[in-house]
Amino acid sequence: MILQDKVALVTGGTSGIGRATAIAYAKQQAKVVVVGRRIDKGEETVRLIKKADGEAIFVQADVTKEADVKAIVDKTIDVFGRLDIAFNNAGMGGENPSLIEQTEAEYDRTMNVNVKGVWLSMKYEIAQMLKQGSGAIVNMASVVGVVALPNILLYTASKHAVVGLTKAAALQYAKAGIRINVVAPGAIQTDMFEAVTDEAKAYLTGLHPIGRVGTPLEVANAVLFLSSDMASFITGETLMVDGGYVAQ
Ligand code: NAP
């Protein structure tokens, strides 16, 4: 059990990759704080964890709101007394593919969830981890945090920002015992992937040399590794979980 006695927080734990990771953490005996906006889905993740004899609570929060993010960490400390691991996974896609037709609201929405949400989460998580003298954070980017796709340019920009934030924060806190890494998945079979057209699904699937898209569990396993002491000399790293996508 590689996370025994650890307390782990997962933003966007209400579905997809976040839910799979919350369950994977709990199976390694971490106590898990599941975060998201949808109460029914968050409680479902907690139920799934408890069914597998794990321990978890749900905290409803919007990661774009500073008061909400502060409340996540406060609740974690109230209930479990510490915070060892955080997976800052909450994110969204969906934008007009044409830059010249995009709106300021689209820009703000993408950047607020994907970038500000990760920055705010790290701000309060690191403040707590500094008190403890240790911690491990994994942020969620994407293959388009490293390479670009032309028709999702705001999403591409936001995920590049997450990679940059991760590297700079990792350097800032390297001597404080806090490791900060980022995962960069290719297309993964979740609601977000299901939301695209069949044509886009076929195109995205074809970009992966391994010949298929990934599963939430395949990303969760990578996050689990980076969150654990098995990755004790790894910080500021971008781990591709992409079936060979960027190796081409
Ligand atoms: P998903 O099932 O749609 O998950 C998105 C999660 O983000 C949900 O749990 C959602 O929870 C949460 N979220 C969104 N906005 C939020 C907000 N303002 N505050 C709090 N939580 C918020 O899709 P997914 O594929 O698992 O996505 C998870 C992450 O993986 C995202 O960051 C995404 O960019 C990244 N990613 C996905 C793929 C892919 O192909 N699926 C590939 C690379 C990277 P609520 O709706 O309950 O708030």
Side-chain angles (χ1 to χ4, degrees):
M1 294 303 161
I2 58 175
L3 301 185
Q4 195 146 26
D5 300 325
K6 304 275 190 192
V7 177
L9 181 167
V10 181
T11 72
T14 48
S15 58
I17 297 165
R19 174 178 283 171
T21 306
I23 294 169
Y25 279 161
K27 283 187 174 166
Q28 294 299 323
Q29 292 199 346
K31 294 165 188 157
V32 183
V33 179
V34 176
V35 176
R37 293 164 303 174
R38 290 168 297 171
I39 297 174
D40 55 334
K41 297 283 184 184
E43 285 174 349
E44 197 180 323
T45 303
V46 169
R47 258 197 313 278
L48 289 167
I49 288 173
K50 288 188 172 163
K51 218 170 111 186
D53 287 332
E55 203 174 334
I57 59 164
F58 171 62
V59 179
Q60 187 190 25
D62 180 337
V63 294
T64 68
K65 296 184 180 155
E66 182 155 16
D68 278 23
V69 176
K70 181 177 183 308
I72 300 166
V73 176
D74 287 349
K75 184 75 180 174
T76 303
I77 303 313
D78 279 356
V79 175
F80 293 127
R82 54 186 295 116
L83 174 64
D84 302 292
I85 294 162
F87 179 31
N88 298 320
N89 159 75
M92 53 153 285
E95 66 190 86
N96 189 322
S98 164
L99 185 149
I100 61 170
E101 288 169 15
Q102 285 178 337
T103 62
E104 196 176 354
E106 274 179 281
Y107 178 92
D108 289 343
R109 199 168 55 240
T110 304
M111 294 301 167
N112 277 341
V113 178
N114 293 359
V115 187
K116 184 183 171 193
V118 170
W119 169 73
L120 273 177
S121 299
M122 285 203 291
K123 173 175 169 171
Y124 288 96
E125 292 155 3
I126 290 170
Q128 175 60 31
M129 288 171 177
L130 285 172
K131 290 182 201 162
Q132 300 170 189
S134 67
I137 294 175
V138 181
N139 293 325
M140 171 56 88
S142 161
V143 281
V144 296
V146 177
V147 295
L149 280 175
N151 290 341
I152 47 170
L153 64 94
L154 288 177
Y155 186 77
T156 297
S158 72
K159 295 302 189 179
H160 271 67
V162 173
V163 171
L165 262 176
T166 302
K167 288 181 185 172
L171 296 177
Q172 189 168 135
Y173 295 102
K175 288 205 167 60
I178 302 170
R179 295 184 303 99
I180 309 173
N181 293 291
V182 55
V183 282
I188 305 299
Q189 192 75 51
T190 67
D191 293 348
M192 189 178 280
F193 180 73
E194 282 306 322
V196 306
T197 63
D198 286 346
E199 193 188 357
K201 275 191 197 115
Y203 168 71
L204 289 169
T205 304
L207 293 174
H208 299 74
I210 227 166
R212 62 172 176 85
V213 300
T215 67
L217 183 60
E218 287 173 315
V219 182
N221 285 336
V223 176
L224 191 60
F225 165 67
L226 289 174
S227 304
S228 77
D229 290 343
M230 287 194 295
S232 53
F233 200 53
I234 302 178
T235 196
E237 178 64 28
T238 305
L239 179 53
M240 308 309 303
V241 188
D242 68 351
Y245 185 128
V246 303
Q248 297 171 90

